[in-house]
Amino acid sequence: MKGSKDFSEIKEAIRRIALDNAIKHKGKAQVKPVLGKLLGENPDLRGKIKELTSLIDKIVKEINSLTLKQQIETARRLWPELLKKEKERIEEENRLPPLPNVEKYEQIVTRFAPNPDCVLHIGSARAVILSHEYARMYDGRFILRFEDTDPRLKKTALEFYDLIREDLKWLGCAWDAEYIQSDRMEIYYEYAEKLLKNGYAYVCTCQREDFREKIHQKMPCPCRKMPPEENLSRWEAMLSGEYGEGEAVVRIKTDLDHPNPAIRDWPAFRIIDTKKHPHPRTGSRYRVWPLFAFANGIDDHLNGVTHVIRGKEHLTNQRRQEYLYRYLGWEYPEAIHYGRLKITGVTLSKSKIIRAVEEGVYSGWDDPRLATFQALRRRGIRPEALRQLMIDIGPRPVDITLSWKNLYAYNRKIIDPIANRYFFLDEPKMMIVRGVKKDYVASIPLHPNDPKRGKRIFTVKNRSCQAHLLISSRDFSRLKIGSLVRLMELFNVKVISKKKEQIFADFHSEDYKKAKQLGLVLIHWLPEGEGIPCEAIMPDGSIVRGLAEEGLCQASIDQIVQFERFGFVRIDWMDEGIKVFFAHE
Ligand SMILES: [Zn+2]
């Protein structure tokens, strides 16, 4: 080592780095990364690795002999900045894991590529949110690409382009560029010709069954050995309409003995009779349409996508597309395949959703029984909740099952602090309390944790020693004769008798402490004659009718509030009455 002063400085640096390394790894530092970091900070020490290693070894042993708690205390005393970094690291851990090979690319580009054949539902949340979040994380670009090249089976409809754009806006996933595949047909044709010309693809006119039989035996069909000239003239014939539907497809040559028969000489283009099945944007202008793997693969490259984040069901497509990329001399983007996300109690089949909406089984795309983003939005599920849930699930390859409860837990965290509290009585019934000695004024905060928001004031008049109140029918049917109960922020009563629509009680005591002491149930109420008609649309489509307190009129459409002892709701409509959608408890 150089001078003694330098030597002590180096020792200090090693101690600091080792301590940092230990804290990051549950109290156990390792020699190699410490050496690496030291050399990174002091490149002039590179000639002294041998001496340094034994010194680091000694210091690492010293540090590792301390408990993690002692290490953190030492760091706090000597290098508090290490702990600040630790805090940042924990925050980072709550975000997405890093993408692979980021350093290879000047800018990270991700994409979301929906087929505009339906509105988006929760099954798309992971693809769109992760792709958008990763682009944001790396200061990159996020692309929206409509993959609308199937006018027949996955039938595109014009309304869905805009509805999907609205869904993305609601999710907070703004996009930097947009492409529509039906605008790009000439591009796909150009690449088809290139591949046919170079012998990487051929036009197959076999019967589908004949081809399938051959390919299962790893045998070529007769079209495969046709020269490029023949293929190009067949291609021209496809474009000019000489072949009908199903009479010719363009196939990409692959290894015939590929273990997966679905990959062997996969189809890239087929004919769709657009006179019968017009495309909503291009009508019958095109009759030769690229299949998913082709158009999607070409565009990922041409759009400059660096990282594709999608479900593992797309692995087969990647294997297909890799042939395409090899033939075109392109490098395949980084592909991240996450596991299946199953959501219990949700219909995610687009065709089922479309059929049911068309048949009027559901009231529309935002019917509360659906898991579309429109329905979630209407019910008061916040996009931030979906985003955080998807980030926490991340792009892990394991399969995951989610329930509504998981999503509700995330949503509750977001809306509980903002939702003002109100009383709502489902099918209210009368409660007559006898033995009341005075008028009562109850004042209840709009939010229990935020007194600044103000209070709701209710006045209960004493009418010849009686108070007339309304309670919910749920409470009405639960209350038993002889039972004690506290009316929230009012007083405690004892149930004396019950009729069909009325319940009679005696005033018991005023003090809340008494209610607490006796372990009384707290129920909500309204003074008789107050309240505004309110309908709550439940997640199963049923309607709960009742009265909400009049103060709710001060709230606004779209606001999320909590009906106490009922649940969180989003105000959907307000006129002479109020309509709300139920979110969750
Ligand atoms: Zn053939």
Side-chain angles (χ1 to χ4, degrees):
M1 300 290 156
K2 288 180 225 165
S4 64
K5 187 167 175 275
D6 278 358
F7 181 65
S8 73
E9 267 175 20
I10 292 165
K11 260 170 83 175
E12 279 295 283
I14 295 172
R15 196 161 283 136
R16 171 175 48 80
I17 296 167
L19 199 56
D20 188 32
N21 188 260
I23 292 171
K24 277 183 192 156
H25 297 94
K26 297 179 180 159
K28 295 289 166 225
Q30 292 208 348
V31 176
K32 257 197 170 168
V34 174
L35 175 66
K37 183 104 190 269
L38 182 72
L39 294 177
E41 286 180 10
N42 308 279
D44 53 314
L45 293 177
R46 284 187 191 278
K48 306 211 158 59
I49 290 181
K50 222 172 165 190
E51 296 150 271
L52 285 173
T53 306
S54 65
L55 181 61
I56 291 172
D57 196 48
K58 197 172 143 239
I59 294 175
V60 161
K61 275 197 186 112
E62 276 170 34
I63 300 247
N64 287 354
S65 70
L66 302 173
T67 63
L68 179 60
K69 211 176 146 203
Q70 289 169 324
Q71 288 165 353
I72 291 172
E73 269 163 20
T74 312
R76 186 169 295 138
R77 197 158 34 84
L78 299 173
W79 298 288
E81 70 276 11
L82 294 183
L83 297 174
K84 201 174 142 238
K85 271 193 206 147
E86 173 65 8
K87 210 177 136 218
E88 280 167 17
R89 191 180 66 82
I90 290 168
E91 273 166 19
E92 264 171 32
E93 267 183 7
N94 288 331
R95 293 177 56 96
L96 291 168
L99 285 174
N101 300 323
V102 184
E103 60 291 344
K104 259 174 68 182
Y105 305 93
E106 219 164 274
Q107 192 180 33
I108 299 306
V109 181
T110 63
R111 50 78 165 169
F112 175 60
N115 181 344
D117 61 343
C118 189
V119 294
L120 300 181
H121 58 51
I122 196 166
S124 302
R126 203 175 185 188
V128 56
I129 290 170
L130 292 189
S131 301
H132 179 261
E133 186 66 24
Y134 269 123
R136 199 158 78 161
M137 192 168 141
Y138 289 104
D139 247 338
R141 276 158 54 81
F142 172 64
I143 289 173
L144 169 61
R145 188 172 69 224
F146 289 107
E147 303 207 332
D148 56 347
T149 62
D150 186 349
R152 187 162 181 179
L153 286 177
K154 294 189 165 181
K155 235 175 143 174
T156 302
L158 274 187
E159 61 173 321
F160 297 126
Y161 296 83
D162 268 340
L163 292 176
I164 289 174
R165 288 182 189 113
E166 269 170 40
D167 283 338
L168 258 64
K169 278 184 208 155
W170 175 72
L171 282 170
C173 297
W175 56 103
D176 302 297
E178 180 182 304
Y179 298 94
I180 302 181
Q181 288 192 325
S182 55
D183 285 345
R184 299 164 62 78
M185 296 292 280
E186 308 294 338
I187 298 173
Y188 310 130
Y189 288 176
E190 199 183 298
Y191 282 101
E193 270 164 41
K194 203 169 177 179
L195 292 160
L196 289 164
K197 213 193 228 155
N198 294 326
Y200 294 126
Y202 59 97
V203 176
C204 173
T205 56
C206 298
Q207 293 278 329
R208 192 189 296 204
E209 294 71 35
D210 296 345
F211 177 83
R212 199 173 289 163
E213 204 175 296
K214 283 235 153 53
I215 211 74
H216 270 278
Q217 295 164 22
K218 306 181 178 176
M219 304 266 288
C221 79
C223 322
R224 199 182 207 259
K225 58 175 190 302
M226 296 288 173
E229 304 79 64
E230 168 65 16
N231 279 315
L232 285 169
S233 83
R234 283 183 173 189
W235 168 250
E236 284 304 323
M238 274 178 87
L239 293 176
S240 66
E242 283 170 46
Y243 292 108
E245 270 190 16
E247 289 178 2
V249 292
V250 175
R251 297 191 175 280
I252 304 295
K253 285 187 189 170
T254 69
D255 299 291
L256 282 180
D257 57 357
H258 194 284
N260 183 354
I263 286 166
R264 295 176 205 154
D265 285 16
W266 54 274
F269 287 85
R270 81 315 205 179
I271 295 165
I272 292 173
D273 184 351
T274 36
K275 288 250 158 50
K276 268 194 229 150
H277 309 281
H279 189 281
R281 296 185 73 252
T282 59
S284 57
R285 196 184 314 159
Y286 303 105
R287 46 194 318 279
V288 178
W289 290 88
L291 282 130
F292 171 82
F294 188 88
N296 173 278
I298 295 284
D299 278 346
D300 276 344
H301 177 81
L302 297 182
N303 298 160
V305 173
T306 62
H307 291 73
V308 176
I309 298 136
R310 62 186 168 200
K312 68 181 178 192
E313 65 275 12
H314 281 289
L315 268 168
T316 307
N317 283 316
Q318 175 169 354
R319 298 284 103 83
R320 288 188 181 121
Q321 290 169 339
E322 277 163 352
Y323 284 98
L324 200 59
Y325 274 66
R326 206 180 310 146
Y327 298 151
L328 294 169
W330 296 345
E331 201 173 323
Y332 202 79
E334 313 291 333
I336 295 95
H337 291 104
Y338 48 72
R340 269 173 229 284
L341 180 64
K342 239 186 85 186
I343 303 162
T344 52
V346 174
T347 308
L348 294 181
S349 153
K350 282 192 194 173
S351 53
K352 271 190 200 158
I353 294 175
I354 292 168
R355 203 176 327 123
V357 169
E358 278 171 0
E359 286 169 1
V361 178
Y362 297 125
S363 58
W365 304 116
D366 57 0
D367 188 291
R369 288 165 288 180
L370 292 172
T372 58
F373 290 141
Q374 282 196 33
L376 297 180
R377 175 168 50 197
R378 199 156 190 206
R379 286 178 50 192
I381 305 293
R382 299 302 306 149
E384 307 90 291
L386 270 169
R387 179 175 279 268
Q388 196 53 53
L389 174 60
M390 292 303 147
I391 288 173
D392 287 352
I393 292 169
R396 278 176 284 171
V398 289
D399 293 349
I400 299 170
T401 302
L402 271 188
S403 70
W404 281 111
K405 273 194 181 153
N406 299 113
L407 178 58
Y408 295 164
Y410 276 78
N411 201 53
R412 195 174 294 115
K413 253 188 231 164
I414 291 166
I415 63 176
D416 184 57
I418 57 171
N420 285 341
R421 271 54 168 173
Y422 293 97
F423 286 164
F424 167 73
L425 308 172
D426 63 293
E427 291 160 48
K429 305 258 198 256
M430 174 91 91
M431 175 184 259
I432 294 167
V433 184
R434 299 178 302 200
V436 177
K437 303 245 163 56
K438 56 171 188 170
D439 290 353
Y440 278 86
V441 176
S443 75
I444 307 171
L446 273 166
H447 195 284
N449 303 334
D450 188 4
K452 283 198 300 292
R453 284 191 223 178
K455 290 183 163 183
R456 306 124 67 197
I457 314 279
F458 301 97
T459 307
V460 177
K461 289 257 185 247
N462 172 19
R463 302 187 201 169
S464 20
C465 293
Q466 284 188 351
H468 289 204
L469 304 166
L470 298 170
I471 61 170
S472 78
S473 62
R474 274 201 230 179
D475 287 329
F476 183 87
S477 47
R478 257 182 245 156
L479 288 179
K480 294 203 172 62
I481 290 166
S483 63
L484 283 165
V485 66
R486 177 167 183 81
L487 298 158
M488 287 165 87
E489 304 288 334
L490 196 61
F491 44 62
N492 312 320
V493 300
K494 184 177 188 181
V495 177
I496 301 300
S497 66
K498 252 170 120 173
K499 281 195 204 163
K500 206 172 163 226
E501 295 294 322
Q502 278 174 331
I503 197 162
F504 294 90
D506 278 350
F507 180 91
H508 178 273
S509 49
E510 192 177 323
D511 205 356
Y512 172 64
K513 275 192 211 125
K514 188 97 193 162
K516 216 174 161 191
Q517 216 174 50
L518 296 168
L520 301 191
V521 171
L522 275 65
I523 68 168
H524 60 294
W525 51 275
L526 285 174
E528 190 206 5
E530 285 191 23
I532 176 161
C534 179
E535 284 186 354
I537 320 293
M538 304 306 284
D540 63 0
S542 65
I543 298 173
V544 177
R545 291 183 176 84
L547 284 178
E549 63 177 81
E550 281 156 30
L552 187 61
C553 298
Q554 306 302 315
S556 48
I557 303 280
D558 222 22
Q559 196 174 326
I560 295 167
V561 301
Q562 188 189 34
F563 282 170
E564 295 200 58
R565 302 179 61 238
F566 185 76
F568 292 96
V569 299
R570 182 190 143 275
I571 301 174
D572 191 68
W573 179 87
M574 226 189 244
D575 195 24
E576 269 159 31
I578 293 177
K579 195 160 91 179
V580 300
F581 273 67
F582 185 85
H584 48 78
E585 282 181 357

